[in-house]
Amino acid sequence: DITTEAISALALASNLEVGLKALKVNPFTGWGIGGHPFAFDTYAPPWTAKYSLLLGLCKQDSGSLGIRLISETGLIGFFLFLLFLYEVIRRALFALKEAEPSSSASIPLCIGVLISTIGVITRVLSRYGSYYSLVFWVSLGLTSSIPKVLGSCSCQGELEIAGE
């Protein structure tokens, strides 16, 4: 019988192989959102057939969001997603750097949110294969609000005009 840790490692290894093979076939656009199960059916390593639990698990969960993005959206989607994450973090860092002394009570909280979000992003991209991780999206939402919380939103003027 196979242990939980072993099945998790096997799932990640098999999905990595599937993702790399899918990348060779569809390097720029991937299989499309929701296409990873089809890629797994097509490119699954032969040794996965020995583990029925692994087959079901790998079709539903690619082992990491990074692998899933590469498989389903190709290099274009993967790099656009990374660019989006980079921009959210960059804006939060800029807001922390430019924070006014009056917001000093919020700064430690914002730093904690940012550090936590970086950890969550790392975990999700490397070991959690779902687009629907609530912790991921809530963390990202909190981090994206840091510029507004600290009062250094670069788009503040645009918001005031839109509110008129």
Side-chain angles (χ1 to χ4, degrees):
D1 198 28
I2 193 162
T3 65
T4 303
E5 293 82 15
I7 198 79
S8 178
L10 289 173
L12 188 60
S14 63
N15 277 299
L16 181 59
E17 188 171 329
V18 168
L20 292 174
K21 286 179 180 176
L23 187 60
K24 287 180 183 176
V25 174
N26 299 312
F28 298 110
T29 58
W31 282 78
I33 300 294
H36 183 74
F38 302 109
F40 192 85
D41 283 341
T42 306
Y43 301 117
W47 55 264
T48 58
K50 293 191 292 186
Y51 308 103
S52 60
L53 176 63
L54 184 65
L55 290 174
L57 177 67
C58 289
K59 287 182 183 182
Q60 299 306 315
D61 181 2
S62 61
S64 86
L65 186 57
I67 293 171
R68 185 175 205 116
L69 283 168
I70 286 172
S71 176
E72 293 186 357
T73 65
L75 293 174
I76 293 171
F78 180 70
F79 286 121
L80 284 174
F81 191 76
L82 291 180
L83 183 64
F84 165 71
L85 297 176
Y86 167 78
E87 187 61 20
V88 169
I89 291 170
R90 187 193 67 76
R91 288 179 184 216
L93 285 169
F94 180 78
L96 283 164
K97 179 182 168 196
E98 300 293 319
E100 298 176 17
S102 62
S103 62
S104 63
S106 301
I107 292 173
L109 178 62
C110 291
I111 290 171
V113 166
L114 179 60
I115 291 170
S116 173
T117 299
I118 291 170
V120 168
I121 288 170
T122 303
R123 180 186 64 87
V124 167
L125 284 175
S126 63
R127 286 297 282 155
Y128 190 77
S130 175
Y131 291 117
Y132 312 111
S133 169
L134 184 60
V135 172
F136 173 74
W137 291 108
V138 169
S139 297
L140 205 58
L142 289 171
T143 299
S144 70
S145 72
I146 288 175
K148 191 69 173 170
V149 167
L150 296 177
S152 61
C153 183
S154 61
C155 58
Q156 200 166 11
E158 294 172 20
L159 293 175
E160 290 172 6
I161 292 169
E164 294 180 1

